[in-house]
Amino acid sequence: NFLMIDTNTRDNLEIHKNLNDGGRKNSLLNIIDYASTPMGSRKINSWLEFPLINKKDINYRLDIVNYFVNNYEKSTELENILKDIYDLERILSKIAYQNANTKDLLILKRSLEKLPNLKEFLNDSDFDKFNVLVQNFDDLSDIFNLINKSIKEDAPIQITEGGIIKDGYNEYLDSIKKNSIIGEKKLLEYEISERDRTGINKLKVSYNKNIGYFIELTKSNIDKAPSNYIRRQTLKNSERYITNELNEISDMILEGQTDTINLEYKLFIEIREYISNNSTRIKNVTDLISVIDALNSFAQISVKNNYCRPIFNNENYIYIKDGRHPVIEQNLGFENFISNDTLIGKKNKTIQIITGPNMAGKSTYMRQTALILILAQIGCFVPASACDISISDAIFTRIGASDNLSKGDSTFMVEMKEMSNIIKNATKNSFVILDEVGRGTSTNDGFSIAKSILEYIVKNINCKTLFATHYHELTDLEEEYNSIENLKVKIHEENNNIVFLRKIVKGKTDKSYGIEVAKLSGLPNEILFRANVILKELDSSTKNKTQLSFNIDNKEDSQKQIEKDILLSELSSIEIDNITPIDSLKVLNDFIKKAKDLLND
């Protein structure tokens, strides 16, 4: 029922987390999650786990997203309603495990208070896709009313200390509270009467948990204590007494308080139990909230980032106009990201071999195509100006180099196991990304495996495949198989410098520009010149590459010649108009010193 995405693919495409630190930043989830509630965020994450393959179900979601895109004021109105709804799923979980306290129930009440507004919003939107939602909408008014009339707004979090149930909710509780209040009134009257009877103005009735209520007299007033005062405790500067009448009043108050606390706890448990028994109803409402929130999130990101609605064909091809990588375009800025078209599967052109330099944009192009397919199949608009695709049943990737030493697998073994999984599970309706297959072993072995894999896919699977490689000889397969076509990354080359144009076009390249890319990394010039010498020797050999000489003492590539070439390169790269007179003297002095060193050698 769902698009298959294995663990390697999820990691490689950074769907839920990034590859850098495993965090959510720079992941697809982080980009599209504009949900107003935690339930909506979890729903989006779940949909990314299980993208759909049923066209009708996908279009149902897209219709709602389209409604919000075209009625953005409605999207904002819905957001304002949803933002006041708390995490009902979390509260429901606490209720189910009997861990919910008064704070949780009050939060539940404030959330349920918004449900009539949500129901009214759906009912007034005059959108047919909302009709079913409104018909089955349960505003849970009975649960709201129960909490509203029972739990105090300022109730303490601890449910075993009393003070949590409102007056008027339970008659017996009210009567107990009333007796306790009468006792407290009698206690106040008793304290006043005892002051008058004894003439001790500082006489006071106090309470602590150890001895209960007591009369406290200072040392100077002890001799005035009446005969009915029973000494209970002696302190350094005072004496504490009890009386029979005080004990009666104390029993009236304390028994009332204990009964109140016990009954309030019992009533709270009953309220919580009632809510728990209706958890299915609450769960249905949270599902509705999460779905409408997730789709509204898709609409907001679509408007914000200029996404388009995808359409679906039955001809097993993918056409994307001006496709963009949803994460990278955010980091680079919309104006800096170079979009690319994708057309694969038309006229049975199902496999594209992509050549070009590292860092030129091959991986971005392949990944963005996969992410666009995933976004489309979860019911979200996509980063493109047009998108006409077939439904994929699975997406596979073989990207990067890593080992798994704990399982005894080398980098190459990991690569081959991933390829084996893809070969066994891919169908003609799958979408496959293969980036640098065969690079973990010798050149001849790697090329042989890469070519054999391509031929197997052509003959046995014929799935839509993007195959990036530096084995330029593989581009010859375009002449052998009608389903294979070559793509390359456009670059601009001038004076041994390259500029990445980030555009994918038809054609092939026979050069990887690896040394030019290495130059950008800041490698020492000596290494780069030596690499160029070796590369020229390799390129010039047409007979027996195994007998190539790499003798560093040859005349043409001697160390001295390399140093001279470096010096000449540095001289030719000076931009005289961009340095000051003082700096030019320093540069000239450095070159004189280097020249003398060369001559002395």
Side-chain angles (χ1 to χ4, degrees), residues 344 350-351 426-432 457 461-465:
I344 184 170
T350 55
I351 299 175
T427 73
K428 67 176 183 179
N429 294 318
S430 301
F431 180 75
V432 176
I457 292 174
I461 306 175
N462 201 32
C463 56
K464 296 178 288 296
T465 304

Side-chain angles (χ1 to χ4, degrees), residues 227-241:
S227 59
N228 67 322
Y229 277 29
I230 304 168
R231 182 181 285 108
R232 182 66 188 271
Q233 190 177 31
T234 300
L235 302 178
K236 182 178 181 181
N237 297 315
S238 64
E239 293 282 354
R240 291 176 175 176
Y241 303 89

Side-chain angles (χ1 to χ4, degrees), residues 105-116 138-151 153 166 169 271 274-275 278 281-282:
L105 263 58
L106 290 172
I107 289 175
L108 176 61
K109 183 190 82 169
R110 294 184 196 114
S111 299
L112 299 184
E113 191 175 13
K114 300 299 178 181
L115 295 187
D138 182 356
D139 62 9
L140 304 172
S141 57
D142 56 324
I143 297 176
F144 169 80
N145 292 331
L146 174 62
I147 301 173
N148 188 49
K149 70 180 182 181
S150 62
I151 307 298
E153 287 294 334
K166 286 182 177 179
Y169 176 69
I271 294 166
Y274 176 85
I275 298 172
N278 287 275
R281 293 171 59 205
I282 300 175

Side-chain angles (χ1 to χ4, degrees), residues 329-375:
E329 73 169 352
Q330 294 280 331
N331 295 332
L332 291 180
F334 297 108
E335 67 282 358
N336 296 321
F337 189 88
I338 307 298
S339 62
N340 271 293
D341 299 343
T342 300
L343 178 59
I344 184 170
K346 278 273 191 178
K347 298 179 181 178
N348 199 36
K349 295 287 185 181
T350 55
I351 299 175
Q352 295 178 344
I353 298 177
I354 309 171
T355 52
N358 287 315
M359 294 179 59
K362 300 191 301 295
S363 293
T364 298
Y365 167 76
M366 294 191 295
R367 284 175 167 90
Q368 76 186 35
T369 304
L371 292 178
I372 287 172
L373 298 183
I374 292 170
L375 285 174

